[in-house]
Amino acid sequence: MSGTTALAGLYSAIEEIARLLDVPCSRGKVWPILAAYGDTADALEQSVIAFRVATDARHAGELDCRFTIPKDVDPYALALSKGLTTETGHPAGTLLSDIQGRCPIDCYAIDFGVVGGFKKIYSFFPPGDSQDLSRLAGIPSMSRSLDENMSLFARYGLGGKASCIGIDYPDRTVNIYFTGTSAECFESHAVLSLLRETEQPDPSEQMLKFAQAGFGIYVTLSWDSPRIERICFAAMTSDPMALPVPLEPRIGKFVRRMQDAGGERKFVCAVASSPHGEYYKLQSYYQWRPWIVDLMAAEAPV
Ligand code: GPP
Ligand code: MG
């Protein structure tokens, strides 16, 4: 398939899913982002491509799309050169090149909102090469919040377990993804005490129950405060509607559409704790590639 055909197919899928979700989608907004990365992504043929919705007010009316790109592309330089983002002088803008200079990278992914435009760049570390937090905290442009929470992360067994970093440019936040952690991290007593120690609201029973099936934990840090903004627990499922989680009818329609498309029926559902309350995120894989399992270290925790 040619690059342009693959991009056109992806664009139609985005348009269709956006319609199902009542999210306004315009070609003028989405196409430049696809086109910026489409040429680089080997016709997107090898990429993992996912759609994501979330249940909180901040994400209402939005559909996020993310796809992987190979490591020989510099995704931030490309975003700048194509005018998808602008240099602001904030350390978030330097973080990716600092990571590139200090850490092994397996591949990247980019994330954009159909409404909000270009948002994030993820760098995945190679399978089996999770990074030590001390190395990440030593990165000059990294949020100091990582350093300030280092002993807390170590106490919860997350110290050497960073498998991915996500930089959110408009929000000026950084996500640190921990995978391959011990199963104990997902037990209710551990979840409860982690949330209490980080001054998050107490979790609902539903959140505690959901977190038990988790394979990954991730935190969102800003550069403004040492406080951890959000903590998420993510679980794989093939049937999100069977989870003990409230999903609105429009999300039900999205799930059914993605399930009916055949294929692998892979979903990652995550529960997020934030000072504004708990919410759920649902990521559906439009194009799954088996190699992503190693990157996510998504096997059941040991
Ligand atoms: C989870 O975080 C998403 C990823 C790790 C990206 C996976 C993408 C692929 C193409 C494999 P998030 O970006 O949804 O978190 P947030 O809630 O902070 O937006
Ligand atoms: Mg987001």
Side-chain angles (χ1 to χ4, degrees):
M1 202 188 311
S2 78
T4 313
T5 316
L7 283 186
L10 176 56
Y11 180 75
S12 328
I14 293 172
E15 206 172 40
E16 186 201 333
I17 302 298
R19 199 178 315 120
L20 269 185
L21 288 162
D22 295 325
V23 170
C25 174
S26 82
R27 193 179 168 88
K29 192 132 215 176
V30 172
W31 188 259
I33 305 172
L34 298 183
Y37 291 96
D39 294 345
T40 68
D42 199 11
L44 286 181
E45 212 36 37
Q46 302 307 315
S47 294
V48 172
I49 306 173
F51 298 135
R52 200 283 297 266
V53 291
T55 62
D56 63 323
R58 207 168 65 99
H59 290 94
E62 183 60 292
L63 165 65
D64 292 303
C65 176
R66 47 280 302 266
F67 54 86
T68 57
I69 55 174
K71 66 175 171 198
D72 54 352
V73 175
D74 184 329
Y76 186 62
L78 201 54
L80 287 175
S81 75
K82 302 278 184 181
L84 304 179
T85 187
T86 47
E87 189 56 89
T88 60
H90 189 274
T94 322
L95 184 54
L96 188 69
S97 68
D98 279 354
I99 294 170
Q100 288 163 337
R102 285 153 200 263
C103 301
I105 289 172
D106 191 273
C107 68
Y108 302 104
I110 66 129
D111 169 48
F112 65 92
V114 166
V115 175
F118 180 78
K119 234 181 144 32
K120 284 205 213 70
I121 293 175
Y122 309 91
S123 29
F124 289 92
F125 304 129
D129 207 354
S130 294
Q131 298 291 295
D132 258 341
L133 288 188
S134 51
R135 172 183 271 189
L136 301 182
I139 293 174
S141 55
M142 179 56 84
S143 155
R144 290 302 100 216
S145 170
L146 180 54
D147 195 41
E148 302 200 22
N149 287 290
M150 191 84 96
S151 64
L152 173 113
F153 292 136
R155 269 188 289 112
Y156 286 89
L158 306 174
K161 303 287 187 185
S163 57
C164 179
I165 291 185
I167 306 165
D168 186 318
Y169 293 95
D171 278 0
R172 297 179 170 178
T173 52
V174 57
N175 287 354
I176 314 280
Y177 297 85
F178 302 102
T179 48
T181 62
S182 84
E184 213 197 319
C185 293
F186 303 98
E187 285 173 13
S188 297
H189 68 91
V191 172
L192 188 60
S193 90
L194 175 62
L195 294 175
R196 284 193 173 153
E197 259 200 85
T198 52
E199 293 168 37
Q200 294 286 338
D202 265 359
S204 64
E205 275 306 313
Q206 182 180 276
M207 175 170 182
L208 289 176
K209 187 158 181 248
F210 176 85
Q212 285 171 14
F215 71 86
I217 301 179
Y218 59 102
V219 296
T220 302
L221 310 174
S222 76
W223 276 262
D224 302 332
S225 136
R227 194 173 190 283
I228 296 173
E229 248 180 49
R230 303 192 290 278
I231 301 189
C232 293
F233 297 88
M236 288 287 296
T237 176
S238 58
D239 188 9
M241 302 316 279
L243 293 170
V245 163
L247 295 172
E248 337 151 35
R250 85 193 167 96
I251 296 184
K253 281 198 281 181
F254 165 63
V255 167
R256 278 190 299 279
R257 163 66 182 78
M258 299 306 287
Q259 288 175 328
D260 289 348
E264 306 271 352
R265 297 187 171 207
K266 304 270 194 210
F267 296 86
V268 171
C269 191
V271 62
S273 178
S274 84
H276 316 291
E278 270 170 45
Y279 63 97
Y280 291 87
K281 314 170 192 189
L282 184 63
Q283 173 154 311
S284 167
Y285 290 82
Y286 166 74
Q287 180 165 287
W288 175 261
R289 294 287 177 257
W291 53 264
I292 197 75
V293 172
D294 292 334
L295 282 194
M296 295 161 70
E299 301 91 331
V302 286

